[in-house]
Amino acid sequence: MTRSAEAYERYRAPEFRRLLAAARRSLERNGGEIKGSIGLANPTTAERTAVIGITGTYRSADVRRITIPLSALEESVRNVTGMSLHDVLERIGLKLRFRADERTALDQARQRILAEGEASPLHAEHAWYRQWLAGLASDGTITALINRKDIHLFSQAVRVLQYLYNRPSDAPPIMLPALADATTGDTKALNPGRGSLPTLVLRALAMARGISPESGAEARRDLWDAFDVIVDDLASRVLVLNLRATGQGLGQWLTDAACYGTPFHVTLHQLITLPITVNLPTVYVCENPAVLRRAAGELGASSPPLMCAEGRPSTAFHRLAQLIVDSGGTLRYHGDFDWPGIDMTNQLRARYQAVPWHMDAADYVKAVRDNTDQVQLSGKPQDTPWDPELAEVMKRESRAAYEEATTDTLLADWSRGG
């Protein structure tokens, strides 16, 4: 056959298919070098004839495996087409992928990403950030970002985390679209379903909180909420009882509800759009809504002002708590006698100088003795600076006592005026 631009088409024939596939694997494995041999197991008559034509060496019909030097195939292809074996393979198939080169490029890209992550001030300041970065490197996330050409998402995730941790402690909550715009230039970049970016950020924030990432809209909203990021200012709310306030709209509604001892849910949207002033010397804070419900049912309008963290304080809770403290009020807190409950107590003490109420060692011992449920303590032990003996007794007893089991004691105290 004379050389022509179409001469390579002969290599599309079935008798060359397995032979060229083996040649492709060899070239990709060896970085494009023509070296070594390739083979065919149980060749067909057509394949055996093709190899005889390439090598000029007869192979018997009963041969079980044919081996051919790759250099012989290269020479034959050049004689027929005037092209290299490399070029012919790419003409009739996909571009060759040199594995060693790809691994080197991948390793270099991984090192650049890790170096960028380590350059962030968060790397030196926070163990959770280092854990997050190491996890991305070890579980294939960084490799996946490189393969999808989404490296920019990692850079954006770091910017989001730095933005959240560099905000002043007294900064107002930020809406999620505003956060996305400030860090990526795209107001929708952190929305659910927008790819890897929100997943990367929420994974880091969960580590910063010491919790496992959870799926579902509510879990995502709660996690953003914990960092004063508002996903939905109508969904963020705080349950209160007898919390009189001044201010048009919301202030009037709260005062009216207090007249009847009616529980009231205050949304973050209301707190933002209908400013109030709360001039109360003391506001009690509970963790479980069942406590507030019983206070409303049994004490009604005579119950002292009460707000509920509902397990995990929302942005609305924090905004209202800050209003109370800024006006000179004191928060008196009672929660669960377990390590997460103690951690929340410490957080409220640090943020609002909240005073633990019925949260000392004697209260714990009574709650444990009165509680028939034998629930073992779990999680990381916490210090109790307001009563060091409490932490020691909890470690010794290793039992949890939940707030709803102590409600009788709380109500009795409130009925006597706190």
Side-chain angles (χ1 to χ4, degrees):
M1 178 182 291
T2 59
R3 297 183 183 182
S4 70
E6 290 77 30
Y8 65 84
E9 289 291 340
R10 68 171 291 184
Y11 293 104
R12 295 186 188 276
E15 60 265 30
F16 290 105
R17 187 170 300 138
R18 286 205 300 156
L19 190 66
L20 293 185
R24 172 181 285 274
R25 290 193 296 271
S26 177
L27 288 177
E28 290 184 335
R29 183 173 58 251
N30 296 313
E33 289 188 54
I34 302 294
K35 65 179 185 180
S37 299
I38 56 175
L40 292 179
N42 300 315
T44 65
T45 299
E47 289 174 332
R48 184 172 61 86
T49 302
V51 170
I52 293 173
I54 291 170
T55 62
T57 302
Y58 177 74
R59 312 294 173 101
S60 66
D62 61 351
V63 68
R64 302 297 299 271
R65 181 176 178 80
I66 295 177
T67 300
I68 173 175
L70 196 61
S71 58
L73 180 58
E74 164 79 5
E75 182 180 359
S76 175
V77 168
R78 282 189 182 276
N79 288 336
V80 172
T81 67
M83 301 166 59
S84 68
L85 177 59
H86 175 288
D87 290 340
V88 168
L89 288 172
E90 291 196 339
R91 285 288 187 95
I92 65 177
L94 298 175
K95 185 176 178 64
L96 291 176
R97 295 179 58 185
F98 301 124
R99 308 299 180 179
D101 291 345
E102 288 184 354
R103 285 195 296 270
T104 299
L106 179 60
D107 288 342
Q108 291 174 345
R110 282 166 52 86
Q111 291 305 315
R112 286 194 296 271
I113 290 179
L114 289 173
E116 178 185 350
E118 291 169 358
S120 168
L122 296 177
H123 189 268
E125 297 169 0
H126 298 287
W128 63 262
Y129 179 88
R130 296 190 292 273
Q131 180 187 358
W132 172 71
L133 192 60
L136 299 184
S138 64
D139 69 3
T141 299
I142 287 180
T143 300
L145 290 174
I146 295 169
N147 290 336
R148 295 199 305 266
K149 303 187 186 305
D150 281 341
I151 295 175
H152 66 286
L153 296 180
F154 174 81
S155 301
Q156 290 177 348
V158 173
R159 287 202 298 272
V160 173
L161 297 174
Q162 290 179 162
Y163 184 96
L164 291 176
Y165 271 83
N166 288 334
R167 296 178 76 223
S169 59
D170 59 350
I174 184 171
M175 295 295 293
L176 185 65
L179 173 63
D181 185 48
T183 53
T184 72
D186 178 359
T187 59
K188 298 180 179 180
L190 292 170
N191 286 359
R194 283 299 298 267
S196 300
L197 180 57
T199 301
L200 288 171
V201 174
L202 288 171
R203 177 174 170 177
L205 296 183
M207 287 184 175
R209 295 282 295 175
I211 61 176
S212 299
E214 299 179 26
S215 59
E218 184 176 356
R220 290 193 299 269
R221 185 171 60 242
D222 287 346
L223 189 51
W224 282 121
D225 211 42
F227 290 85
D228 285 343
V229 179
I230 306 167
V231 176
D232 185 345
D233 59 359
L234 295 177
S236 180
R237 60 186 190 174
V238 54
L239 179 64
V240 302
L241 175 68
N242 297 350
L243 194 78
R244 297 175 182 270
T246 58
Q248 292 187 345
L250 180 57
Q252 297 169 344
W253 303 335
L254 286 169
T255 300
D256 287 345
C259 291
Y260 297 97
T262 300
F264 194 96
H265 263 123
V266 182
T267 67
L268 181 59
H269 181 269
Q270 292 169 338
L271 290 168
I272 293 172
T273 59
L274 300 171
I276 61 172
T277 300
V278 181
N279 289 308
L280 294 170
T282 301
V283 175
Y284 290 88
V285 181
C286 62
E287 183 176 344
N288 195 301
V291 175
L292 186 144
R293 187 177 296 112
R294 279 195 59 187
E298 298 180 28
L299 302 179
S302 65
S303 170
L306 181 60
M307 57 190 295
C308 183
E310 295 191 83
R312 182 184 298 164
S314 65
T315 301
F317 174 96
H318 287 302
R319 192 177 184 92
L320 182 55
Q322 194 65 57
L323 283 173
I324 294 168
V325 172
D326 286 347
S327 296
T330 297
L331 301 180
R332 304 189 72 184
Y333 178 73
H334 185 277
D336 290 335
F337 283 114
D338 61 3
W339 296 129
I342 298 301
D343 181 53
M344 186 183 297
T345 309
N346 281 322
Q347 290 182 38
L348 295 179
R349 288 181 72 246
R351 189 162 181 171
Y352 305 113
Q353 294 75 54
V355 177
W357 178 66
H358 279 300
M359 290 287 287
D360 60 23
D363 293 310
Y364 168 72
V365 170
K366 182 178 186 305
V368 168
R369 298 291 184 262
D370 292 346
N371 189 2
T372 57
D373 293 332
Q374 301 293 314
V375 180
Q376 292 297 307
L377 281 175
S378 61
K380 181 181 178 181
Q382 305 289 325
D383 292 332
T384 54
W386 67 93
D387 182 12
E389 184 184 357
L390 172 59
E392 296 304 317
V393 174
M394 289 179 66
K395 292 175 187 176
R396 186 172 65 247
E397 294 287 337
S398 192
R399 288 172 56 190
Y402 297 118
E403 187 179 37
E404 53 268 40
T406 66
T407 307
D408 288 343
T409 299
L410 306 183
L411 289 174
D413 205 340
W414 283 330
S415 67
R416 292 191 298 268

